[in-house]
């Protein structure tokens, strides 16, 4: 693991590189109820999200796609953190993360952002904020769409 | 080692003319180049000494602005080897020039019976105007492919000639691969088979001597901001007989001879394509940029670039896991080097080297079909110009090593 070296890095923190290297929920989810794809036109990164909602709860969520470490680590964290949340909680969580990451000096978040706090370094690299948000915007897009099943 | 082998202009001059470059390794001139102080001054003079429109007033300010404006047109013509300054149309840039061409020449010349050829290394700006035109007209579209070495596939040339294309849209130099296409060999053959050839010169005109008359091309487009000039100004050059046949497409002031209720007569070329008040200070800036480049000499600009690229390819080649896309022979490429390094995503790479003061570009470089050919999402690109030196290459290599450190344990 990269703990020592990357711990010193304001952007590429160990937890980010860990998710990038070994995302636990990557690959298509055949039995999804919601799906969307997100594209970052400036770099060509592409994310697919597969979400299985049952009884108004996000039972499973997987991502697939290609992108930079920030984009894919953020997507991987999403698949881990939204699992088990109600749709309403997941939406609130997404909004809280977005509010937190897009301001220069954030207030403490109303929800526990957990591993996502490691992404706070992108504030020093404003063009990379889009990378960190791509999966989350895609999640919102998927939920807005009609259930596919 | 002579001075010319390490730098084109001496350090004090770079410092004086490009003061902002101090401490920054700017390796993104293929996206936009830097403006030296004399160019900035030439532009601001238009406002500081009293602005006026061109081709209108009879007072001194207007005469001064018009003289300088038309003088730049002559400079542009001489710079690219055009026979006649009337063949040089001022546009908003390369993209604007090519869209203008598609709207006039394209609309009137391309039909459902025609074939249009585009290459898979075109920048979107010399691609989409033509693919959209072909789609609108129902014309046949042929893609001219690129080899694994990053050069135009010459084995496909017989097929292209046999199709007798009406139009071939071709970049002179690839903004991703750096490949210099053998346009002086290709253009005569394409023209013999009836094609009109549109050259995208955005990456070529700033970097090497250009002689459109010798090339025999029909149209050439380029931008000032990639050749030490400002953004928002570029040139469409076309052979006079073609321009005269083309209808105007931007209607307004300056582009008419007379307007009556029942009859309009258009101005002569180039003015019939320059409707509206032009970017006057931009044209002045372009003129000053040409003066600056001429004071060095385009042969020297090219020589400096070959020396720098040769050195950069050598140095980059020593990094484990670094792959340079495009021709490996520096003589066959311009000052653009796209590469990948140990599978590190271009955005991550550009961010890390950016922290070391290196400005390089990451992404698809507006060439998504080419990225698909390369099997990549994007590349990292370093591009050089007159103010870059071997020391800049050394800093780039050091910065890449740091990126390798950050990602050394990442499984990709």
């Amino acid at each position: 693991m990269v703990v020592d070296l990357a711990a010193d890095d304001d952007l590429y923190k160990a937890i980010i590189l860990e998710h990038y290297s070994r995302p636990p929920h990557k690959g298509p989810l055949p039995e999804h109820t919601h799906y969307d794809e997100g594209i970052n036109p400036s770099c060509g990164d592409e994310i697919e999200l597969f979400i299985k909602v049952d009884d108004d709860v996000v039972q499973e969520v997987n991502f697939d796609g290609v992108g930079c470490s920030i984009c894919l680590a953020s997507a991987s964290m999403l698949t881990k953190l939204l699992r088990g949340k109600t749709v309403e909680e997941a939406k609130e969580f997404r909004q809280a993360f977005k509010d937190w990451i897009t301001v220069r000096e954030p207030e403490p978040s109303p929800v526990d952002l957990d591993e996502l706090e490691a992404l706070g370094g992108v504030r020093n690299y404003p063009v990379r904020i889009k990378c960190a948000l791509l999966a989350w915007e895609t999640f919102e897009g998927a939920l807005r769409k009609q259930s596919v099943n | 080692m002579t001075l010319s082998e390490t730098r084109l202009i001496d350090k004090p001059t770079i410092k004086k003319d490009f003061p902002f470059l101090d401490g920054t390794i700017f390796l993104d001139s293929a996206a936009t180049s830097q403006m030296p102080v004399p160019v900035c001054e030439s532009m601001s003079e238009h406002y500081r000494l009293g602005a006026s429109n061109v081709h209108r007033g009879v007072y001194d300010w207007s005469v001064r602005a018009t003289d300088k404006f038309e003088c730049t047109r002559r400079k542009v013509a001489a710079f690219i080897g055009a026979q006649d300054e009337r063949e040089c149309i001022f546009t908003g840039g390369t993209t604007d020039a090519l869209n203008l061409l598609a709207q006039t020449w394209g609309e009137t010349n391309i039909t459902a019976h025609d074939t249009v050829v585009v290459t898979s290394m075109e920048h979107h700006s010399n691609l989409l105007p033509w693919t959209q035109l072909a789609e609108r007209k129902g014309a046949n579209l042929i893609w001219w492919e690129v080899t694994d070495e990053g050069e135009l596939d010459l084995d496909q040339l017989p097929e292209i000639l046999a199709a007798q294309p009406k139009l071939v849209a071709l970049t002179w130099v690839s903004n991703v691969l750096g490949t210099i296409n053998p346009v002086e060999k290709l253009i005569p053959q394409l023209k013999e088979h009836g094609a009109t050839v549109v050259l995208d010169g955005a990456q070529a005109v700033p970097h090497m001597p250009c002689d459109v008359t010798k090339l025999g091309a029909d149209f050439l487009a380029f931008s000032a901001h990639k050749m030490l000039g400002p953004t928002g100004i570029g040139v469409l050059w076309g052979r006079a007989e073609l321009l005269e046949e083309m209808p105007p497409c931007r209607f307004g002031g300056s582009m008419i001879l007379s307007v009556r209720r029942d009859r309009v007569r258009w101005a002569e070329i180039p003015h019939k394509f320059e409707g509206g008040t032009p970017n006057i200070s931009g044209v002045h800036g372009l003129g000053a940029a040409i003066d600056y480049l001429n004071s060095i000499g385009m042969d020297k600009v090219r020589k400096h670039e070959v020396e720098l690229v040769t050195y950069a390819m050598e140095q980059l080649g020593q990094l484990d896991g670094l792959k340079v896309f495009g021709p490996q022979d520096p003589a066959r490429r311009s000052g653009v080097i796209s590469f990948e390094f140990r599978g590190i995503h271009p955005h991550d790479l550009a961010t890390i080297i950016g922290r070391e003061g290196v400005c390089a570009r990451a992404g698809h470089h507006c060439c998504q079909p080419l990225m698909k050919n390369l099997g990549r999402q994007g590349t990292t690109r370093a591009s050089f110009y007159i103010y870059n030196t071997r020391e800049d290459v050394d800093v780039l290599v050091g910065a890449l090593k740091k990126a390798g450190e950050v990602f050394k344990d990442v499984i990709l």
Side-chain angles (χ1 to χ4, degrees):
Chain A
M1 253 311 293
V2 281
V3 179
D4 291 343
L5 218 171
D8 296 327
D9 199 289
D10 72 331
L11 181 60
Y12 296 104
K13 299 203 185 301
I15 186 74
I16 291 175
L17 297 179
E18 171 63 20
H19 268 283
Y20 183 44
S21 288
R22 282 176 282 266
H25 306 294
K26 189 167 185 229
L29 197 66
E31 299 197 339
H32 58 270
T33 55
H34 295 74
Y35 167 87
D36 203 4
E37 52 186 17
I39 293 175
N40 184 344
S42 72
C43 57
D45 286 357
E46 290 176 16
I47 289 278
E48 288 181 287
L49 272 191
F50 306 87
I51 308 162
K52 186 181 174 191
V53 175
D54 189 19
D55 208 13
D56 211 34
V57 169
V58 177
Q59 304 288 353
E60 287 184 82
V61 49
N62 270 29
F63 83 99
D64 209 351
V66 280
C68 65
S69 61
I70 302 300
C71 172
L72 297 192
S74 181
S76 180
M77 289 177 185
L78 179 151
T79 63
K80 201 170 149 191
L81 294 171
L82 295 189
R83 218 160 268 257
K85 286 191 165 42
T86 67
V87 169
E88 211 42 52
E89 284 167 351
K91 283 181 177 170
E92 278 169 24
F93 191 88
R94 187 201 78 89
Q95 191 60 48
F97 173 58
K98 188 175 176 179
D99 291 346
W100 178 79
I101 198 94
T102 49
V103 290
R104 188 74 213 161
E105 283 166 19
E107 304 279 321
S109 174
V111 302
D112 178 9
L113 292 172
D114 206 309
E115 295 173 345
L116 287 170
E117 303 244 0
L119 287 166
V122 297
R123 289 197 199 87
N124 297 328
Y125 307 86
V127 293
R128 304 296 299 275
I129 291 176
K130 265 202 294 194
C131 310
L133 278 174
L134 183 63
W136 299 84
E137 303 293 14
T138 309
F139 181 79
E140 201 208 6
L143 286 188
R144 252 201 325 262
K145 287 185 174 175
Q146 279 288 332
S147 170
V148 288
N149 288 348
Chain B
M1 189 181 293
T2 64
L3 193 65
S4 80
E5 280 172 315
T6 52
R7 53 176 58 92
L8 190 59
I9 37 183
D10 58 46
K11 238 178 185 166
T13 309
I14 295 182
K15 219 174 166 136
K16 179 166 70 70
D17 290 348
F18 302 91
F20 39 81
L21 283 177
D22 196 21
T24 295
I25 311 298
F26 187 76
L27 299 181
D28 198 18
S29 294
T32 203
S33 61
Q34 300 301 323
M35 287 209 310
V37 168
V39 174
C40 301
E41 278 173 356
S42 172
M43 293 180 70
S44 67
E45 203 173 69
H46 174 66
Y47 299 108
R48 281 192 295 106
L49 301 185
S52 128
N53 215 323
V54 289
H55 308 130
R56 312 261 157 94
V58 293
Y59 49 91
D60 278 356
W61 287 2
S62 177
V63 171
R64 186 188 69 225
T66 306
D67 280 354
K68 203 169 160 188
F69 189 87
E70 289 304 325
C71 170
T72 296
R73 204 189 298 277
R74 289 192 288 278
K75 272 183 201 169
V76 168
F79 190 70
I80 61 170
Q83 299 275 351
D84 182 345
E85 73 216 44
R86 297 177 312 137
E87 295 180 327
C88 300
I89 301 162
F90 290 122
T91 67
T94 303
T95 301
D96 188 44
L98 295 165
N99 276 279
L100 184 152
L101 191 58
Q103 281 165 27
T104 57
W105 185 90
E107 279 299 330
T108 41
N109 285 279
I110 299 297
T111 70
H113 307 292
D114 294 319
T115 292
V116 170
V117 174
V118 293
T119 85
S120 59
M121 67 164 81
E122 291 315 299
H123 186 284
H124 294 164
S125 62
N126 198 30
L127 177 71
L128 299 178
W130 308 118
T131 56
Q132 295 303 297
L133 176 71
E135 199 178 302
R136 259 193 329 271
K137 300 288 186 175
N140 180 34
L141 182 71
I142 296 182
W143 287 81
W144 194 344
E145 295 301 340
V146 174
T147 65
D148 292 343
E149 288 73 43
E151 304 199 358
L152 268 187
D153 185 2
L154 295 182
D155 290 343
Q156 204 189 336
L157 186 57
E159 176 208 331
I160 284 160
L161 296 177
Q164 298 194 304
K166 187 94 163 252
L167 166 77
V168 177
L170 173 63
T171 190
W172 187 344
V173 169
S174 161
N175 70 309
V176 174
L177 302 165
T179 313
I180 302 173
N181 285 319
V183 291
E184 65 290 342
K185 284 192 194 126
L186 294 172
I187 291 171
Q189 295 185 64
L190 294 166
K191 290 187 62 72
E192 252 171 51
H193 287 75
T196 294
V197 180
V198 179
L199 269 190
D200 174 354
Q203 300 292 341
V205 173
H207 295 271
M208 57 188 75
C210 170
D211 187 335
V212 286
T213 307
K214 218 156 89 188
L215 280 178
D218 296 300
F219 296 103
L220 171 79
F222 59 98
S223 299
H225 76 98
K226 296 192 200 291
M227 50 188 285
L228 309 179
T231 51
I233 183 76
V235 174
L236 173 65
W237 167 84
R239 287 198 294 115
E241 63 265 38
L242 294 172
L243 296 179
E244 273 158 2
E245 290 286 306
M246 281 157 46
C249 63
R250 284 168 196 176
F251 305 101
S254 299
M255 48 80 65
I256 53 92
L257 193 60
S258 70
V259 179
R260 293 190 196 143
R261 289 192 179 204
D262 57 348
R263 184 176 174 223
V264 181
R265 292 165 71 198
W266 308 124
E268 295 294 319
I269 63 165
H271 304 292
K272 74 171 173 180
F273 299 110
E274 293 180 353
T277 296
N279 178 358
I280 301 167
S281 71
V283 169
H284 295 347
L286 170 59
I290 289 175
D291 289 342
Y292 198 95
L293 288 169
N294 280 338
S295 75
I296 298 169
M298 291 309 289
D299 283 321
K300 276 196 192 160
V301 169
R302 171 66 187 145
K303 189 164 170 273
H304 171 73
E305 195 161 271
V306 173
E307 283 168 1
L308 212 48
V309 168
T310 305
Y311 181 70
M313 302 267 292
E314 276 166 21
Q315 296 302 308
L316 291 171
Q318 286 173 20
L319 289 172
D320 265 350
L322 191 136
K323 175 188 164 67
V324 171
F325 296 102
Q328 298 302 304
D329 176 5
R332 298 172 78 168
R333 61 188 304 150
S334 74
V336 173
I337 299 182
S338 270
F339 55 89
E340 69 175 0
F341 184 48
R342 298 183 193 166
I344 303 172
H345 190 281
H347 260 189
D348 291 324
L349 210 48
T351 293
I352 296 172
I353 66 177
R355 299 198 292 214
E356 306 299 315
V358 178
C359 307
R361 179 79 188 275
H364 53 64
H365 316 293
C366 303
C367 289
Q368 287 190 332
L370 179 61
M371 289 299 131
K372 190 105 186 153
N373 275 28
L374 296 175
R376 301 293 189 282
Q377 216 67 28
T379 68
T380 308
R381 181 184 73 183
S383 53
F384 304 108
Y385 208 18
I386 59 165
Y387 32 70
N388 293 118
T389 62
R390 290 185 179 210
E391 289 91 322
D392 294 348
V393 174
D394 296 338
V395 177
L396 169 67
V397 169
L400 288 170
K401 285 180 181 162
K402 292 209 169 157
E405 274 297 303
V406 175
F407 276 76
K408 74 177 159 104
D409 293 323
V410 173
I411 306 156
L412 291 164

